[in-house]
Amino acid sequence: MPIEGKTVAITGAGRGIGRATALHLAARGARLVLGARSEMELAAVADEIVSSGGEAVFHITDVVNRSDLEALVALACERFGRLDVIVNNAGIGPLSRFDSLRVDDWDAMIDVNLRGALYGIGAALPVFDRQQQGHVVNVVSTAGLKIVPTMGVYAATKNALRTATEALRQESGAHLRITEVSPGFIDTGFADASITDPQIRAAIVRRKEELAISPDAIARAIAFAIEQPDDVEVGSIVVRPTAQD
Ligand SMILES: NC(=O)c1ccc[n+]([C@@H]2O[C@H](COP(=O)([O-])OP(=O)(O)OC[C@H]3O[C@@H](n4cnc5c(N)ncnc54)[C@H](OP(=O)(O)O)[C@@H]3O)[C@@H](O)[C@H]2O)c1
C-alpha cells in the first residue's frame, strides 16, 4: 500500500476538498499534517482522524505568510521525520465582474491562490531535496480550462499556478513528482466562504446545487496520484461533474 506511512501536508485542510482528502488519505494509512486558519476546523479534522486510529497533527497556517508554510513543513519533519507530499489546496474565489472593481478581492486571490501555493512549494523543496524524494500536488480548477465571465482573476491565478507547475515539473529530476488537479463544480462551502457579490454568489450556489459532486471525488484523484510507484508521475487530472459543460 504505497499511501500507508506517507506523510502528507495539506493546506486548506479544515473543510471542503482539503478535509475530504485528509480523511481519505488517513483512512489509507497516511500521516497527516493539516494547515488552515481556523483552529476549530483543523482540530475537528485531526480529532476525527485520531479517533479512527489514524495519525494527524495541525498547525494554524495562513498561506499568505511564507513562515507559516515553513512551520507546517517543519512540523511534518519534527513529528513524522519526513514529508512525502505537500498538497497546495488552500484557495479562495471571490468571483466578480471586472467593472465592479473589487480590487481587494483580486489581490486576495493572487495572494492565496498563487503566492500561497508558491510558498508551499518553496517550503517543501529543501526537504524533498534532502530526502531525494517528494511529491507536490497543486489544486487548480476547471475555471482555468473553460474561461467564463466573473471568473477572470480567479482563473488567472489558477492558470498562473498551472504554468508554474509545468515549469517545476520540467526542472524536477527523477526524485520529485509534480501533479496538478483541476476540480470542476464540487459540493463544498467555497462559494459561501468567499464570494462577496451577492448575485454572483446566489448564481454559483444555484449551479452547485444543480450539479456539484462530492469532494471525495477529488480526494480519490489525489490518492491515485500519490499511490503510483515512485517512477510514475501523474501530471494532470481533471475531475468534473459529468453534467458540467
Ligand atoms: N469547490 C469547487 O467547486 C472548486 C472547484 C475548483 C477548484 N477548487 C479549488 O479547490 C480548493 C479547495 O476549495 P474548497 O471547495 O474545498 O473550498 P472551501 O470549502 O472554502 O475550503 C477552503 C479551505 O482553504 C482554507 N483557506 C482559505 N484561505 C486560506 C488561507 N489564506 N490560508 C490557509 N488556508 C486558507 C480554508 O480554511 P480557513 O478559512 O480556516 O483558512 C478552508 O479550509 C481551492 O483551491 C479551490 O480554488 C474548488
Side-chain angles (χ1 to χ4, degrees):
M1 289 291 291
I3 288 179
E4 194 172 350
K6 282 201 166 154
T7 302
V8 183
I10 304 179
T11 64
R15 55 180 191 269
I17 291 170
R19 172 180 177 275
T21 304
L23 295 177
H24 182 84
L25 295 176
R28 298 187 57 183
R31 305 179 295 190
L32 272 300
V33 183
L34 314 170
R37 292 167 304 173
S38 162
E39 181 172 10
M40 220 171 67
E41 290 182 348
L42 287 176
V45 178
D47 281 352
E48 199 173 337
I49 291 171
V50 171
S51 62
S52 309
E55 290 183 86
V57 292
F58 68 85
H59 181 75
I60 298 166
T61 306
D62 187 335
V63 297
V64 307
N65 298 324
R66 189 175 160 186
S67 57
D68 285 4
L69 270 311
E70 288 166 351
L72 189 72
V73 168
L75 177 64
C77 297
E78 277 160 33
R79 295 297 290 270
F80 299 123
R82 58 185 290 115
L83 177 69
D84 295 291
V85 187
I86 185 161
V87 182
N88 292 304
N89 164 74
I92 57 169
L95 311 177
S96 63
R97 287 174 53 87
F98 279 96
D99 55 13
S100 64
L101 292 178
R102 291 173 186 256
V103 180
D104 288 344
D105 286 346
W106 304 349
D107 282 345
M109 282 187 276
I110 293 166
D111 285 345
V112 176
N113 299 353
L114 178 57
R115 217 187 294 276
L118 295 178
Y119 287 164
I121 292 167
L125 281 185
V127 176
F128 291 163
D129 190 48
R130 206 165 52 237
Q131 295 173 172
Q132 283 297 292
Q133 192 180 35
H135 190 170
V136 176
V137 177
N138 291 330
V139 177
V140 287
S141 175
T142 59
L145 300 176
K146 182 182 176 195
I147 312 295
V148 297
T150 76
M151 295 202 192
V153 178
Y154 176 69
T157 62
K158 293 297 187 177
N159 279 352
L161 180 57
R162 196 188 305 277
T163 301
T165 304
E166 171 59 14
L168 177 61
R169 186 193 70 76
Q170 291 181 28
E171 287 178 15
S172 64
H175 69 289
L176 196 56
R177 299 192 297 170
I178 314 293
T179 302
E180 69 178 31
V181 179
S182 299
F185 264 100
I186 308 301
D187 189 6
T188 70
F190 187 63
D192 299 307
S194 52
I195 302 180
T196 51
D197 181 308
Q199 276 179 331
I200 295 174
R201 185 171 58 237
I204 295 285
V205 167
R206 240 188 343 268
R207 192 92 180 103
K208 188 188 82 170
E209 283 164 1
E210 278 163 20
L211 57 74
I213 54 175
S214 164
D216 293 341
I218 306 305
R220 291 193 299 271
I222 291 172
F224 173 77
I226 295 174
E227 73 188 346
Q228 300 306 310
D230 282 348
D231 61 350
V232 176
E233 179 179 66
V234 177
S236 179
I237 309 181
V238 181
V239 180
R240 56 166 84 82
T242 312
Q244 183 177 331
D245 53 20

